[in-house]
Amino acid sequence: MLMKRKSTETGHRRKFLAVIDDTPECSRAVIYGARRADRTSGGLVLLYVIEPTGFQHWIGVENIMRAEAMDEAETTLGRFADLARRHSSIEPEMVIREGTRAEQITALIEDDEDIAILVLAAGTDKEGPGPLVSSIAGKLAATFPVPITIVPGTLSDEDIAAIA
């Protein structure tokens, strides 16, 4: 059961959560979340999820793969944190978790009572809005613990600035 959100209580602030991945539209969610957080005196949390590889044959190789995945996560988060800083005065929180993406998103929201809005960006290709948007806005939407903002992947930086 999800704990009560406390983002409106004294000593707390509303946080926007953006999930970081390798999709081209990810930057749209980060910029929107950063600008919206900045305008509303909120915060921005950037989440990178390292998904299980299923490779468990040799522990040494698995440890190397895990270390490489962690390095990639830190580098990618750093790049998106810089993007958020360029578009706002927000200093984003960076979180790395291991597991399946949907489970880790929900777990982080459960752990941080100030996260009040999940910001995702829709894909721009013919295959639909993207797997994360499809899974969360589709099957999970009825039971998801916080509102979901879906930013069109085609919006320019200027378009986002005008609406955030």
Side-chain angles (χ1 to χ4, degrees), residues 11 14 24 36 50 65 73 78 80 92 96 110 114 120-121 126 134 145:
R14 178 174 62 174
R36 192 76 186 118
I50 299 171
M65 291 174 71
F80 281 101
I96 300 172
E110 175 66 30
D114 290 340
L120 302 173
K126 298 174 194 169
S134 295

Side-chain angles (χ1 to χ4, degrees), residues 76-157:
T76 302
L77 274 173
R79 192 173 73 244
F80 281 101
D82 288 344
L83 179 67
R85 290 181 200 108
R86 283 195 307 270
H87 288 272
S88 70
S89 62
I90 296 294
E91 181 57 40
E93 296 175 42
M94 295 180 277
V95 178
I96 300 172
R97 295 227 173 169
E98 293 184 45
T100 63
R101 209 174 276 161
E103 288 174 1
Q104 293 307 314
I105 292 167
T106 305
L108 180 59
I109 292 169
E110 175 66 30
D111 293 345
D112 188 336
E113 59 201 6
D114 290 340
I115 294 175
I117 297 172
L118 173 63
V119 180
L120 302 173
T124 58
D125 60 17
K126 298 174 194 169
E127 296 171 13
L132 187 57
V133 171
S134 295
S135 69
I136 291 177
K139 296 180 279 184
L140 299 175
T143 59
F144 204 72
V146 297
I148 303 164
T149 298
I150 301 175
V151 180
T154 57
L155 291 182
S156 69
D157 292 354

Side-chain angles (χ1 to χ4, degrees), residues 13-112:
R13 65 184 177 147
R14 178 174 62 174
K15 294 180 185 176
F16 294 81
L17 171 61
V19 180
I20 305 304
D21 58 24
D22 60 357
T23 59
E25 63 271 10
C26 181
S27 65
R28 307 295 85 208
V30 171
I31 293 170
Y32 179 87
R35 285 179 119 5
R36 192 76 186 118
D38 203 14
R39 283 202 173 167
T40 61
S41 301
L44 176 65
V45 179
L46 304 178
L47 171 64
Y48 188 101
V49 179
I50 299 171
E51 298 204 62
T53 62
F55 186 86
Q56 298 175 348
H57 296 290
W58 297 290
I59 226 142
V61 174
E62 181 184 0
N63 288 340
I64 291 170
M65 291 174 71
R66 176 179 258 150
E68 288 173 351
M70 187 61 74
D71 287 345
E72 179 183 335
E74 290 170 354
T75 299
T76 302
L77 274 173
R79 192 173 73 244
F80 281 101
D82 288 344
L83 179 67
R85 290 181 200 108
R86 283 195 307 270
H87 288 272
S88 70
S89 62
I90 296 294
E91 181 57 40
E93 296 175 42
M94 295 180 277
V95 178
I96 300 172
R97 295 227 173 169
E98 293 184 45
T100 63
R101 209 174 276 161
E103 288 174 1
Q104 293 307 314
I105 292 167
T106 305
L108 180 59
I109 292 169
E110 175 66 30
D111 293 345
D112 188 336

